[in-house]
Amino acid sequence: MAASRQPPFCHVAGREPPEAAPEGLEAVFPREVGLFADDFPEETCFSFCGHVLTIAQHHGGRLGVAAPVWEAVVSRRLVCLFHTGLRAFAADKELLVKLRKKTGYSFVNCKTALEKFSGDSKQAEAWLHEQAQKEGWSKASKLQGRKTKEGLIGLLQEGNAAVMVEVNCETDFVARNAKFQQLVQQAATGTMFHHQGAKDQLTTYTKHLMKAAELSQLRTGPAGCLLSDQLALAIGKLGENMAVKRAAWVAVPETYYIGSYVHGALPAANPSLPNMVLGKYGALVICQASEQSQKSNLADLGRRLGQHVVGMAPLSVGSLEDEPGGDMETKMLAQPFLLDPSITLGQYVQPQGVSVLDFVRFECGEDTEIPEAE
């Protein structure tokens, strides 16, 4: 006998009748019994590009499909934060590079300064200088006893005036550093600025020799810092003991001229000072030209006289009547001419229509006490 077929969902004795089949959306999106029956909060944190994104969700039965935050929304938010972080990073990096290039301080110190002042570069720069100066003075006091036999001679000429300075350090390596050479230039420009009012309306030449104590109180320009502060900054940056040892300033009237020479000259570190020359030896020679002398040859003649002073190291000018030899070997005009030892220097200059009046010679690292300022 054929088995009887029961209609769907019919009740069988001893069994619970099945639930009615889902219809409509319930058939496509079935919902578990009890889902979202209880309300509960959920908070998730995302760390991204230095930013923290916190998503707080409140789940509940009344919210339905609106309850969860969709992953696409989170992704768009994170992309937005990513671009914002990139822009902030690029801006911070640009400020950092500019501050580093302008001040010369390390990236770490520049970054610390910008963070301290929330990206204000002016305040950061001022703070960096203040900290460097404090550190420089501290280092200067600790390094004070160390010998400074190396360094550079700096010579600067402007019109009818010239300056020669000696700045010392411990090693030749530091002497070739651009920051040290900048300190030499600051010493020269500060000395020139200090005497700028004294070179006008001269009737004869004038010479002023300066020692370290006087030089330390000079300013590097009209609105410049004290030279002693610049020295401390250089010591703090380069880590060696340094000293602005001495300077000579010379000015002449119209009928005079200044011959100059620097031996072992280095390339100028500052293109804005084309008349600044750095080296290991330097000389300034003060001359008076007669009406018969050839003005066009004075620059070359002055250089040769400077070479003689550097090479022969005279102690005084002497006179044309001095005979060579003996005690006269230290008198400039009686010495054999450096470039032609067959004649004396006096015999070389006399036919040129030039009179040598005075000179200054600096040798870097020499143990010579300069005479009192005139």
Side-chain angles (χ1 to χ4, degrees), residues 17-34:
E19 295 184 359
E23 298 180 358
L25 289 178
E26 286 292 334
V28 180
F29 300 106
R31 180 168 63 90
E32 295 181 13
V33 178

Side-chain angles (χ1 to χ4, degrees), residues 109-125:
N109 289 338
C110 291
K111 184 174 183 294
T112 301
L114 287 172
E115 290 174 349
K116 182 178 179 67
F117 295 99
S118 302
D120 190 318
S121 58
K122 289 185 178 180
Q123 292 189 55
E125 182 180 350

Side-chain angles (χ1 to χ4, degrees), residues 239-292:
E240 278 195 10
N241 192 22
M242 300 176 197
V244 181
K245 183 178 180 181
R246 54 180 172 168
W249 173 82
V250 174
V252 297
E254 186 178 355
T255 57
Y256 293 57
Y257 76 97
I258 304 171
S260 64
Y261 174 71
V262 171
H263 185 72
L266 301 174
N270 188 350
S272 65
L273 287 175
N275 297 327
M276 182 82 193
V277 187
L278 305 174
K280 293 295 184 180
Y281 300 82
L284 298 173
V285 184
I286 304 167
C287 304
Q288 185 176 17
S290 65
E291 295 181 359
Q292 292 76 26

Side-chain angles (χ1 to χ4, degrees), residues 47-70:
S47 180
F48 190 75
C49 290
H51 297 272
V52 177
L53 174 64
T54 301
I55 298 178
Q57 304 182 72
H58 189 84
H59 300 284
R62 295 185 300 274
L63 298 178
V65 294
V69 176
W70 299 96

